[in-house]
């Protein structure tokens, strides 16, 4: 069967985006970067089309990077292969409690 | 490189030749709608403003309606005034006429009410439509193009496919001497440093600093009502599509502006009058307000990127839908003009789909209807105001 694909946009990124349907816990996906280098990662959870996975362990409070830029911080400890979304990624902008 | 457009008296070139029915206030909308239903070749700007607003907003509404009437896709205008509104309807007539277009006005209270105003309006709109119908398209240079760009109902494919396609087209147009305008200030949050560094004069120059200023202004406006923007941006649809934060949405959104230097920042009511290159318009991300702002700027068309599937257009401005999500394209082919999902599938490169988008753009500028135009899906618009209704 063809390997499910995830794309890593920038070398600094610690997440990749899954572009495949029916990706379930235990699936091994192929993460491809812009140079075409690949790495296989086993997923710990179901991940919907267009959603993100962790490429490394990310400690609570650490920056989550996509496009080579910060897209938020980890709100819990995240393991490599975990699903990354609003349940464990916290925006740092557009909020009243911390300066923009 | 050329396209076929309508040359206006003031030298600008339009991609459409429409009679705009312009209610000066929400209270005149029903009369305007009756006129548009009867007279072919008309479109209506059915907004929800124009009275019981702060003076700054009444000026903003008048300016925007005037700019819409002056926009190059409009060949003539019929102002529909109630008679007691807060906008300056007589200024609308003067300014649109000064741009060299036929303009008429009806005043509902003065004419004796709804049915008489509708009758008078139909007669005048019919005359205007016939008058401009003899205008022919003529050759115009690509450097006369003003493209507006926007993304809506975004998901994670937007920043990796459809916005990249628009960025390719934007760069190519700027290199050919044309004008490109992008906005959605809310969706600069988290990416404003990248835009500021691309400003003419650098991050610390006046344009770079202005970019930071408009982002702060937008963020402060949300905070001023004691709310956290996160409940509204990203939208529930964005989140379902995989976008986790406003920063992630912004970083994907700004991709559509391409790579060229940013020449300056236009306020919501400012027009493009010959400025070339890449410009920012300070406008929010929501469709009716930014599409209105872009049409009022003088854009002849918009290139619009989507992942979840946004179907709507604008009354006088063709909107080309570039879809980044191959699954959405399959489901919504009758709303989507171009499939950039082939980039995600690895079937096409950004450059290949970018060239297809460019070729489609030339056709649309020269008269080809977009999918939303052919469907008549372009009724919604509104004007971005600053203060409360009072």
């Amino acid at each position: 069967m063809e390997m499910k694909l995830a794309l890593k946009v920038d070398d600094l990124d610690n997440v990749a985006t899954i572009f495949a349907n029916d990706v379930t816990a235990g699936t091994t996906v192929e993460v491809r970067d812009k140079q075409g280098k690949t790495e296989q990662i086993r997923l710990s959870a179901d991940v919907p089309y267009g959603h993100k996975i962790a490429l490394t362990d990310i400690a609570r409070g650490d920056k989550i990077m996509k496009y080579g830029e910060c897209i938020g911080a980890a709100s819990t400890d995240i393991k490599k292969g975990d699903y990354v979304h609003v349940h464990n990624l916290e925006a740092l902008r557009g909020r009243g409690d911390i300066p923009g | 490189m050329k396209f076929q457009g309508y040359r206006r008296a003031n030298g600008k070139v339009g991609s459409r030749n429409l009679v705009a029915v312009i209610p000066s206030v929400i209270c005149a909308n029903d009369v305007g709608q009756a006129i548009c239903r009867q007279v072919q070749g008309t479109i209506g700007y059915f907004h929800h403003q124009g009275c019981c607003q702060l003076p700054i907003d009444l000026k903003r509404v008048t300016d925007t309606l005037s700019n819409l009437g002056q926009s190059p896709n409009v060949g003539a205008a019929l102002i529909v005034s109630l008679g007691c509104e807060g906008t300056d309807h007589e200024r609308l007539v003067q300014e649109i006429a000064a741009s060299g277009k036929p303009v008429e006005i009806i005043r509902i209270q003065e004419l004796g009410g709804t049915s008489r105003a509708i009758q008078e309006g139909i007669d005048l709109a019919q005359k205007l439509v016939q008058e401009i119908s003899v205008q022919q398209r003529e050759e115009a240079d690509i450097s006369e193009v003003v493209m507006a760009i926007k993304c809506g109902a975004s998901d994670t494919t937007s920043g990796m496919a459809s916005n990249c396609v628009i960025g390719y087209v934007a760069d190519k147009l700027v290199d050919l001497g044309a004008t490109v305008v992008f906005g959605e200030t809310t969706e600069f949050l988290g990416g404003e440093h990248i835009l500021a560094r691309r400003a003419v004069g650098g991050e610390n120059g006046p344009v770079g600093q202005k970019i930071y200023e408009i982002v702060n202004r937008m963020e402060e406006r949300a905070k001023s009502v004691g709310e956290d923007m996160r409940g509204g941006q990203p939208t529930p649809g964005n989140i379902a599509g995989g976008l986790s934060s406003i920063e992630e949405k912004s970083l994907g959104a700004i991709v559509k502006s391409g790579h060229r230097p940013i020449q300056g920042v236009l306020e919501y009511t400012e027009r493009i009058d010959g400025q070339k290159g890449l410009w920012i318009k300070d406008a929010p991300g929501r469709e009716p307000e930014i599409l209105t702002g872009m049409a009022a700027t003088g854009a002849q068309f918009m290139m619009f990127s989507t992942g979840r599937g946004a179907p709507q257009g604008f009354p006088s401005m063709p909107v080309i839908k570039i879809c980044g999500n191959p699954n959405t394209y399959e489901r919504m082919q009758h709303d989507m003009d171009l499939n950039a999902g082939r980039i995600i599938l690895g079937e096409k490169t950004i450059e290949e789909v970018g060239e297809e988008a460019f070729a489609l753009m030339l056709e649309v500028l020269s008269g080809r209807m977009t999918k939303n135009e052919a469907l008549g899906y372009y009724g919604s618009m509104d004007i971005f105001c600053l203060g409360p209704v009072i």
Side-chain angles (χ1 to χ4, degrees), chain B residues 262-293:
Chain B
I262 296 164
Q263 304 296 324
V265 176
L266 300 167
E267 294 291 341
Y268 186 74
T269 54
E270 278 184 289
R271 282 196 310 263
I272 287 288
D273 283 314
Q275 306 95 312
K276 302 295 181 186
L278 179 66
W279 289 77
I280 286 174
K281 162 144 282 204
D282 182 23
R286 198 168 78 159
E287 277 78 1
E289 287 84 356
I290 186 169
L291 267 62
T292 300

Side-chain angles (χ1 to χ4, degrees), chain B residues 150-206:
Chain B
K150 150 94 186 125
C151 53
S154 298
D155 66 15
T156 50
T157 65
S158 303
M160 294 166 87
S162 45
N163 285 342
C164 308
V165 168
I166 295 182
Y168 177 88
V169 174
D171 285 349
K172 185 163 173 168
L173 277 175
V174 169
D175 293 346
L176 288 166
T179 309
V180 177
V181 188
F182 73 111
E184 302 173 279
T185 309
T186 330
E187 291 160 40
F188 296 172
L189 261 79
E192 64 268 62
H193 57 292
I194 299 170
L195 297 174
R197 286 176 204 149
R198 273 173 57 200
V200 167
E203 189 174 13
N204 295 317

Side-chain angles (χ1 to χ4, degrees), chain B residues 326-384:
Chain B
N327 298 330
T328 302
Y329 185 81
E330 271 313 303
R331 281 196 303 272
M332 295 182 67
Q333 285 185 38
H334 297 290
D335 293 299
M336 300 296 127
D337 292 283
L338 195 64
N339 180 9
R342 291 170 295 164
I343 296 165
I344 299 288
L345 297 172
E347 297 169 4
K348 293 272 183 186
T349 64
I350 290 165
E351 186 177 358
E352 285 167 339
V353 182
E355 283 298 321
E356 288 178 28
F358 197 88
L360 177 59
M361 172 199 81
L362 289 176
E363 285 187 21
V364 168
L365 282 168
S366 301
R368 181 190 173 89
M369 280 196 180
T370 61
K371 289 193 172 166
N372 76 77
E373 281 185 295
L375 283 171
Y377 197 160
Y378 50 68
S380 295
M381 55 93 59
D382 218 332
I383 300 164
F384 172 46

Side-chain angles (χ1 to χ4, degrees), chain B residues 199-219:
Chain B
V200 167
E203 189 174 13
N204 295 317
V207 179
Q209 289 300 301
K210 181 81 179 175
I211 292 170
Y212 284 115
E213 184 193 320
I214 61 172
V215 173
N216 280 338
R217 218 156 63 176
M218 195 69 81
E219 207 167 359

Side-chain angles (χ1 to χ4, degrees), chain A residues 7 9 17 19 21 49-52 66-67 69-72 84-86 89-97 100, chain B residues 156-157 159-160 189-190 192-194 219 223 228-230 239-245 247-248 251-252 326-327 344:
Chain A
L7 296 179
V9 188
T17 310
F19 289 111
N21 295 310
Y49 186 97
H51 289 230
K52 293 176 291 299
K66 182 182 168 186
Y67 300 106
E69 300 284 337
C70 175
I71 61 165
V84 177
H85 200 20
V86 290
L89 182 158
E90 186 176 48
L92 300 174
R93 296 297 305 280
R95 47 196 283 180
D97 56 340
Chain B
T156 50
T157 65
M160 294 166 87
L189 261 79
E192 64 268 62
H193 57 292
I194 299 170
E219 207 167 359
K223 284 189 211 163
D228 182 327
M229 201 184 286
R230 286 173 299 176
I239 292 170
L243 294 170
S244 306
S245 64
E247 297 96 304
E248 184 182 9
L251 290 162
N327 298 330
I344 299 288

